[in-house]
Coordinates of all heavy atoms in Angstrom, one line a residue:
M1 N -25.8 -4.9 -26.9 CA -26.3 -5.8 -25.8 C -27.7 -5.4 -25.5 O -28.0 -4.2 -25.4 CB -25.4 -5.7 -24.6 CG -25.8 -6.6 -23.5 SD -24.6 -6.6 -22.1 CE -25.2 -5.3 -21.1
T2 N -28.5 -6.4 -25.3 CA -29.9 -6.1 -24.9 C -30.1 -6.7 -23.5 O -29.8 -7.8 -23.2 CB -30.9 -6.8 -25.8 OG1 -30.7 -6.3 -27.1 CG2 -32.3 -6.5 -25.4
A3 N -30.4 -5.8 -22.6 CA -30.7 -6.2 -21.2 C -32.1 -6.0 -20.9 O -32.7 -4.9 -21.0 CB -29.8 -5.4 -20.3
V4 N -32.8 -7.1 -20.5 CA -34.2 -7.0 -20.1 C -34.2 -7.2 -18.6 O -33.9 -8.3 -18.1 CB -35.0 -8.1 -20.8 CG1 -36.5 -8.0 -20.3 CG2 -34.9 -7.9 -22.3
T5 N -34.6 -6.2 -17.9 CA -34.6 -6.3 -16.4 C -35.9 -6.7 -15.9 O -36.0 -7.1 -14.7 CB -34.2 -4.9 -15.8 OG1 -35.0 -3.9 -16.3 CG2 -32.7 -4.6 -16.2
H6 N -36.9 -6.5 -16.6 CA -38.2 -7.1 -16.2 C -39.0 -7.3 -17.5 O -38.8 -6.7 -18.5 CB -39.0 -6.1 -15.3 CG -39.2 -4.8 -15.9 ND1 -40.3 -4.6 -16.8 CD2 -38.6 -3.6 -15.9 CE1 -40.2 -3.3 -17.2 NE2 -39.2 -2.7 -16.7
P7 N -40.0 -8.3 -17.4 CA -40.8 -8.6 -18.6 C -41.6 -7.4 -19.0 O -41.9 -6.5 -18.2 CB -41.7 -9.7 -18.1 CG -41.3 -10.1 -16.7 CD -40.4 -9.0 -16.2
P8 N -41.8 -7.3 -20.3 CA -42.7 -6.2 -20.8 C -44.0 -6.3 -20.1 O -44.5 -7.3 -19.8 CB -42.8 -6.5 -22.3 CG -41.7 -7.3 -22.6 CD -41.3 -8.1 -21.4
G9 N -44.6 -5.1 -19.9 CA -45.8 -5.1 -19.2 C -46.1 -3.8 -18.6 O -45.6 -2.8 -19.1
T10 N -46.7 -3.7 -17.5 CA -46.9 -2.5 -16.8 C -46.4 -2.4 -15.4 O -46.2 -3.5 -14.8 CB -48.4 -2.2 -16.8 OG1 -49.1 -3.1 -15.9 CG2 -49.1 -2.2 -18.1
G11 N -46.2 -1.2 -14.9 CA -45.7 -1.1 -13.6 C -46.1 0.3 -13.1 O -46.5 1.1 -13.8
Q12 N -45.9 0.5 -11.8 CA -46.2 1.7 -11.2 C -45.1 2.0 -10.2 O -44.6 1.2 -9.5 CB -47.5 1.6 -10.3 CG -48.7 1.8 -11.1 CD -49.9 1.8 -10.2 OE1 -49.8 1.6 -9.0 NE2 -51.1 2.0 -10.7
V13 N -44.7 3.3 -10.1 CA -43.8 3.7 -9.1 C -44.3 5.0 -8.5 O -45.1 5.8 -9.2 CB -42.4 3.9 -9.5 CG1 -41.7 2.6 -9.9 CG2 -42.3 4.9 -10.7
E14 N -44.0 5.3 -7.3 CA -44.3 6.6 -6.7 C -43.0 7.2 -6.3 O -42.1 6.7 -5.6 CB -45.1 6.3 -5.4 CG -45.8 7.5 -4.9 CD -46.8 7.2 -3.8 OE1 -46.4 6.8 -2.7 OE2 -48.0 7.3 -4.0
L15 N -42.8 8.4 -6.8 CA -41.6 9.2 -6.6 C -41.9 10.3 -5.6 O -42.9 11.0 -5.7 CB -41.0 9.8 -7.9 CG -40.8 8.9 -9.1 CD1 -40.4 9.8 -10.3 CD2 -39.8 7.9 -8.8
V16 N -41.0 10.5 -4.6 CA -41.2 11.6 -3.7 C -40.3 12.7 -4.3 O -39.1 12.6 -4.6 CB -40.7 11.3 -2.3 CG1 -40.8 12.5 -1.4 CG2 -41.5 10.1 -1.8
I17 N -41.0 13.9 -4.5 CA -40.3 15.0 -5.2 C -40.2 16.2 -4.2 O -41.2 16.7 -3.8 CB -41.1 15.4 -6.5 CG1 -41.2 14.2 -7.4 CG2 -40.3 16.6 -7.1 CD1 -42.0 14.5 -8.7
G18 N -39.0 16.5 -3.9 CA -38.8 17.7 -3.0 C -38.6 18.9 -3.8 O -38.2 18.9 -5.0
G19 N -38.8 20.1 -3.3 CA -38.5 21.3 -3.9 C -39.6 21.9 -4.8 O -39.3 22.9 -5.4
M20 N -40.8 21.4 -4.7 CA -41.8 22.0 -5.5 C -42.4 23.1 -4.6 O -43.0 22.8 -3.6 CB -42.9 21.0 -5.9 CG -42.4 19.9 -6.8 SD -43.8 19.0 -7.5 CE -44.4 18.1 -6.1
T21 N -42.3 24.3 -5.1 CA -42.7 25.4 -4.2 C -44.0 26.1 -4.7 O -44.4 27.0 -4.0 CB -41.6 26.4 -4.0 OG1 -41.1 26.8 -5.3 CG2 -40.4 25.8 -3.2
C22 N -44.4 25.8 -5.9 CA -45.7 26.3 -6.3 C -46.4 25.2 -7.2 O -45.8 24.3 -7.7 CB -45.7 27.7 -6.9 SG -45.5 27.7 -8.7
A23 N -47.7 25.4 -7.3 CA -48.4 24.3 -8.0 C -48.0 24.1 -9.5 O -48.1 23.1 -10.0 CB -49.9 24.7 -8.0
S24 N -47.4 25.2 -10.1 CA -47.0 25.0 -11.5 C -45.8 24.1 -11.6 O -45.6 23.5 -12.6 CB -46.6 26.4 -12.0 OG -47.6 27.3 -12.0
C25 N -45.1 23.9 -10.5 CA -44.0 22.9 -10.5 C -44.5 21.6 -10.9 O -43.9 20.8 -11.7 CB -43.3 22.9 -9.1 SG -42.5 24.4 -8.6
A26 N -45.6 21.2 -10.3 CA -46.2 19.9 -10.5 C -46.5 19.7 -12.0 O -46.2 18.6 -12.6 CB -47.4 19.7 -9.6
N27 N -47.1 20.7 -12.6 CA -47.4 20.6 -14.0 C -46.2 20.5 -14.9 O -46.1 19.8 -15.8 CB -48.2 21.9 -14.4 CG -49.6 21.9 -13.8 OD1 -50.2 20.8 -13.7 ND2 -50.1 23.0 -13.5
R28 N -45.1 21.2 -14.5 CA -43.9 21.2 -15.2 C -43.3 19.8 -15.2 O -42.9 19.3 -16.2 CB -42.8 22.2 -14.6 CG -43.1 23.6 -15.0 CD -42.4 24.6 -14.0 NE -41.0 24.2 -13.8 CZ -40.0 24.6 -14.6 NH1 -40.3 25.4 -15.7 NH2 -38.8 24.3 -14.4
I29 N -43.3 19.2 -14.0 CA -42.7 17.8 -13.9 C -43.6 16.8 -14.7 O -43.1 15.9 -15.4 CB -42.6 17.4 -12.4 CG1 -41.6 18.4 -11.7 CG2 -42.1 16.0 -12.3 CD1 -41.6 18.3 -10.2
E30 N -44.9 17.0 -14.5 CA -45.8 16.1 -15.2 C -45.6 16.1 -16.7 O -45.5 15.0 -17.3 CB -47.2 16.5 -14.9 CG -48.2 15.4 -14.7 CD -49.6 16.0 -14.2 OE1 -50.4 16.4 -15.0 OE2 -49.7 16.0 -13.0
K31 N -45.4 17.2 -17.3 CA -45.2 17.3 -18.7 C -43.9 16.6 -19.1 O -43.9 15.9 -20.1 CB -45.1 18.8 -19.1 CG -46.4 19.4 -19.4 CD -46.2 20.8 -20.0 CE -47.5 21.6 -20.2 NZ -47.3 23.0 -20.6
K32 N -42.9 16.8 -18.3 CA -41.6 16.2 -18.7 C -41.7 14.7 -18.6 O -41.2 13.9 -19.5 CB -40.5 16.6 -17.7 CG -40.2 18.1 -17.8 CD -38.9 18.4 -18.4 CE -38.6 19.9 -18.4 NZ -37.4 20.2 -19.2
L33 N -42.3 14.2 -17.6 CA -42.4 12.7 -17.4 C -43.3 12.1 -18.5 O -43.0 11.1 -19.1 CB -43.0 12.4 -16.1 CG -42.1 12.6 -14.9 CD1 -42.9 12.4 -13.6 CD2 -40.9 11.7 -14.9
N34 N -44.4 12.8 -18.9 CA -45.3 12.3 -19.9 C -44.7 12.3 -21.3 O -45.2 11.7 -22.2 CB -46.6 13.0 -19.9 CG -47.5 12.6 -18.7 OD1 -47.6 11.4 -18.4 ND2 -48.1 13.5 -18.0
K35 N -43.6 13.0 -21.5 CA -42.9 13.0 -22.8 C -42.2 11.7 -23.0 O -41.8 11.3 -24.1 CB -41.9 14.1 -22.8 CG -42.5 15.4 -23.3 CD -41.4 16.5 -23.5 CE -42.1 17.8 -23.8 NZ -41.0 18.9 -23.7
L36 N -41.9 10.9 -21.9 CA -41.2 9.7 -22.1 C -42.2 8.6 -22.6 O -43.3 8.6 -22.3 CB -40.7 9.2 -20.7 CG -39.7 10.1 -20.0 CD1 -39.4 9.6 -18.6 CD2 -38.4 10.3 -20.8
D37 N -41.6 7.7 -23.5 CA -42.4 6.7 -24.1 C -43.0 5.8 -23.0 O -42.3 5.3 -22.1 CB -41.6 5.8 -25.0 CG -41.5 6.5 -26.4 OD1 -42.2 7.4 -26.7 OD2 -40.7 6.0 -27.2
G38 N -44.3 5.5 -23.1 CA -44.9 4.5 -22.2 C -45.2 5.0 -20.8 O -45.5 4.2 -20.0
V39 N -45.1 6.3 -20.6 CA -45.2 6.8 -19.2 C -46.5 7.7 -19.1 O -46.8 8.5 -20.0 CB -44.0 7.7 -18.9 CG1 -44.2 8.5 -17.6 CG2 -42.7 6.9 -18.7
T40 N -47.2 7.4 -18.1 CA -48.4 8.2 -17.7 C -48.1 8.7 -16.3 O -48.1 7.9 -15.4 CB -49.7 7.5 -17.8 OG1 -49.8 7.0 -19.1 CG2 -50.8 8.4 -17.5
A41 N -47.9 10.0 -16.1 CA -47.5 10.5 -14.8 C -48.6 11.5 -14.3 O -49.2 12.3 -15.0 CB -46.2 11.2 -14.9
T42 N -48.8 11.4 -13.0 CA -49.6 12.4 -12.3 C -48.8 12.9 -11.1 O -48.4 12.1 -10.2 CB -50.9 11.7 -11.7 OG1 -51.6 11.1 -12.8 CG2 -51.8 12.8 -11.2
V43 N -48.6 14.2 -11.0 CA -47.8 14.8 -10.0 C -48.7 15.5 -9.0 O -49.5 16.4 -9.4 CB -46.7 15.7 -10.5 CG1 -45.9 16.3 -9.4 CG2 -45.8 15.0 -11.5
N44 N -48.6 15.2 -7.7 CA -49.4 15.8 -6.7 C -48.6 16.8 -5.9 O -47.7 16.4 -5.2 CB -50.0 14.8 -5.8 CG -51.0 15.3 -4.8 OD1 -50.8 16.4 -4.3 ND2 -52.1 14.6 -4.6
Y45 N -48.8 18.1 -6.1 CA -48.1 19.1 -5.5 C -48.2 19.0 -4.0 O -47.2 19.2 -3.2 CB -48.5 20.5 -6.0 CG -48.1 21.6 -5.2 CD1 -46.7 21.9 -5.0 CD2 -49.0 22.4 -4.6 CE1 -46.3 23.0 -4.2 CE2 -48.6 23.5 -3.8 CZ -47.3 23.8 -3.6 OH -46.9 24.9 -2.9
A46 N -49.4 18.8 -3.5 CA -49.7 18.8 -2.1 C -49.0 17.8 -1.3 O -48.5 18.0 -0.2 CB -51.2 18.8 -1.8
T47 N -48.9 16.6 -1.9 CA -48.2 15.5 -1.2 C -46.8 15.3 -1.6 O -46.1 14.4 -1.1 CB -49.0 14.1 -1.5 OG1 -48.9 13.9 -2.9 CG2 -50.4 14.2 -1.1
E48 N -46.3 16.1 -2.6 CA -45.0 16.1 -3.1 C -44.7 14.7 -3.7 O -43.5 14.2 -3.5 CB -43.9 16.4 -2.0 CG -44.1 17.8 -1.5 CD -42.8 18.3 -0.8 OE1 -42.3 17.5 0.0 OE2 -42.4 19.5 -1.0
K49 N -45.6 14.1 -4.3 CA -45.4 12.8 -4.9 C -45.8 12.7 -6.3 O -46.8 13.4 -6.7 CB -46.2 11.7 -4.1 CG -45.5 11.4 -2.7 CD -46.4 10.4 -2.0 CE -45.8 10.1 -0.6 NZ -46.7 9.4 0.3
A50 N -45.2 11.9 -7.1 CA -45.5 11.6 -8.4 C -45.9 10.1 -8.6 O -45.2 9.3 -8.2 CB -44.4 11.9 -9.4
R51 N -47.1 9.9 -9.1 CA -47.5 8.5 -9.4 C -47.2 8.3 -10.9 O -47.7 9.1 -11.7 CB -49.0 8.4 -9.1 CG -49.7 7.2 -9.8 CD -49.1 5.9 -9.4 NE -49.1 5.6 -8.0 CZ -50.2 5.0 -7.4 NH1 -51.2 4.7 -8.1 NH2 -50.1 4.8 -6.1
V52 N -46.5 7.3 -11.1 CA -46.1 7.1 -12.5 C -46.5 5.7 -12.9 O -46.1 4.7 -12.3 CB -44.6 7.2 -12.8 CG1 -44.2 7.0 -14.2 CG2 -44.1 8.6 -12.3
D53 N -47.4 5.6 -13.9 CA -47.7 4.3 -14.5 C -46.9 4.2 -15.8 O -46.8 5.1 -16.6 CB -49.2 4.3 -14.9 CG -50.1 4.4 -13.7 OD1 -49.9 3.6 -12.7 OD2 -50.9 5.3 -13.7
F54 N -46.4 3.0 -16.0 CA -45.6 2.9 -17.2 C -45.8 1.5 -17.9 O -46.2 0.5 -17.2 CB -44.1 3.1 -17.0 CG -43.5 2.2 -15.9 CD1 -42.9 1.0 -16.2 CD2 -43.5 2.7 -14.6 CE1 -42.4 0.2 -15.2 CE2 -42.9 1.9 -13.6 CZ -42.4 0.6 -13.9
T55 N -45.5 1.4 -19.1 CA -45.6 0.2 -19.8 C -44.2 -0.1 -20.5 O -43.5 0.9 -20.9 CB -46.7 0.2 -20.9 OG1 -46.3 1.2 -21.9 CG2 -48.0 0.5 -20.3
G56 N -43.9 -1.3 -20.7 CA -42.7 -1.7 -21.4 C -41.4 -1.3 -20.7 O -41.4 -1.4 -19.5
D57 N -40.4 -0.9 -21.4 CA -39.1 -0.8 -20.9 C -38.8 0.6 -20.4 O -38.1 1.3 -21.0 CB -38.1 -1.2 -22.0 CG -36.7 -1.5 -21.5 OD1 -36.6 -1.7 -20.3 OD2 -35.8 -1.4 -22.3
V58 N -39.3 0.9 -19.2 CA -39.1 2.2 -18.6 C -38.4 1.9 -17.2 O -38.8 1.1 -16.4 CB -40.4 2.9 -18.3 CG1 -40.1 4.2 -17.5 CG2 -41.1 3.2 -19.6
S59 N -37.2 2.5 -17.0 CA -36.5 2.3 -15.8 C -36.8 3.4 -14.8 O -36.9 4.6 -15.2 CB -35.0 2.2 -16.0 OG -34.5 3.5 -16.3
P60 N -36.9 3.1 -13.5 CA -37.1 4.1 -12.5 C -36.0 5.1 -12.5 O -36.2 6.3 -12.3 CB -37.1 3.3 -11.2 CG -37.5 1.9 -11.6 CD -37.0 1.7 -13.0
E61 N -34.8 4.7 -12.9 CA -33.7 5.6 -13.0 C -34.0 6.7 -14.0 O -33.6 7.9 -13.8 CB -32.4 4.9 -13.3 CG -31.9 4.0 -12.2 CD -32.6 2.7 -12.1 OE1 -33.4 2.3 -13.0 OE2 -32.3 2.0 -11.1
A62 N -34.6 6.3 -15.1 CA -34.8 7.3 -16.2 C -35.9 8.3 -15.7 O -35.8 9.5 -16.0 CB -35.3 6.6 -17.4
L63 N -36.8 7.9 -14.9 CA -37.8 8.8 -14.3 C -37.2 9.8 -13.4 O -37.5 11.0 -13.4 CB -38.9 8.0 -13.6 CG -39.7 6.9 -14.5 CD1 -40.6 6.1 -13.6 CD2 -40.5 7.6 -15.6
I64 N -36.3 9.3 -12.5 CA -35.7 10.1 -11.6 C -34.8 11.1 -12.3 O -34.8 12.3 -11.9 CB -34.9 9.3 -10.6 CG1 -35.9 8.5 -9.7 CG2 -34.0 10.2 -9.7 CD1 -35.2 7.4 -8.9
A65 N -34.1 10.7 -13.3 CA -33.2 11.6 -14.0 C -34.0 12.7 -14.7 O -33.6 13.8 -14.7 CB -32.4 10.8 -15.1
T66 N -35.2 12.4 -15.2 CA -36.1 13.4 -15.8 C -36.5 14.4 -14.8 O -36.5 15.6 -15.1 CB -37.3 12.7 -16.4 OG1 -36.9 11.8 -17.4 CG2 -38.3 13.7 -17.0
V67 N -36.8 14.0 -13.6 CA -37.2 14.9 -12.6 C -36.1 15.8 -12.2 O -36.2 17.1 -12.0 CB -37.8 14.2 -11.3 CG1 -38.0 15.2 -10.2 CG2 -39.1 13.4 -11.6
E68 N -34.9 15.2 -12.1 CA -33.7 16.0 -11.7 C -33.3 17.0 -12.8 O -32.9 18.1 -12.5 CB -32.6 15.1 -11.4 CG -32.8 14.3 -10.1 CD -31.6 13.4 -9.7 OE1 -30.8 13.1 -10.6 OE2 -31.6 13.0 -8.5
Q69 N -33.5 16.6 -14.0 CA -33.2 17.5 -15.1 C -34.2 18.7 -15.2 O -33.8 19.8 -15.7 CB -33.2 16.8 -16.5 CG -31.9 16.0 -16.7 CD -32.0 15.0 -17.8 OE1 -32.8 15.1 -18.7 NE2 -31.3 13.9 -17.7
A70 N -35.3 18.5 -14.6 CA -36.3 19.6 -14.6 C -36.0 20.5 -13.4 O -36.5 21.6 -13.3 CB -37.7 19.0 -14.4
G71 N -35.0 20.1 -12.6 CA -34.6 21.0 -11.5 C -35.1 20.7 -10.1 O -35.0 21.5 -9.2
Y72 N -35.5 19.4 -9.9 CA -36.1 19.1 -8.6 C -35.3 17.9 -8.0 O -34.5 17.3 -8.6 CB -37.6 18.7 -8.7 CG -38.3 19.9 -9.3 CD1 -38.6 20.0 -10.6 CD2 -38.7 20.9 -8.5 CE1 -39.2 21.0 -11.2 CE2 -39.4 22.0 -9.0 CZ -39.6 22.1 -10.4 OH -40.3 23.1 -10.9
Ligands
LIG1 MO1 -43.6 28.1 -9.2 MO2 -42.0 25.8 -9.7 O1 -43.3 30.0 -9.4 O2 -40.6 25.4 -11.0 S1 -43.3 26.8 -11.2 S2 -41.7 27.5 -8.2

């Protein structure tokens, strides 16, 4: 089954990430997110937020799951 939840294109989401206790955490999360296809992520340690730009078929759920798997 193919489910298209939004047209192909670009989108942006902002994730609030709790539990980052040093600046390296932000880099760790950024690397994981950027491994996903079509994802360009910038994680701001100071604001505890991740800005994620994505293209194509990327679900916010997948982004959140990635952050959680990194331990946050
Ligand atoms: Mo800093 Mo974050 O020592 O996973 S890298 S707490």
Side-chain angles (χ1 to χ4, degrees):
M1 183 173 87
T2 303
V4 179
T5 55
H6 60 80
T10 63
Q12 276 186 357
V13 290
E14 195 170 69
L15 307 175
V16 178
I17 302 178
M20 294 193 292
T21 52
C22 91
S24 299
C25 295
N27 289 324
R28 285 160 48 83
I29 297 168
E30 213 172 88
K31 273 189 186 171
K32 296 251 184 190
L33 288 172
N34 281 320
K35 274 186 188 167
L36 302 173
D37 275 350
V39 170
T40 304
T42 306
V43 180
N44 187 320
Y45 164 65
T47 60
E48 296 197 321
K49 285 176 185 169
R51 159 62 58 87
V52 183
D53 297 306
F54 56 89
T55 62
D57 192 18
V58 175
S59 72
E61 288 79 10
L63 301 173
I64 292 167
T66 298
V67 173
E68 288 181 345
Q69 280 164 27
Y72 302 95

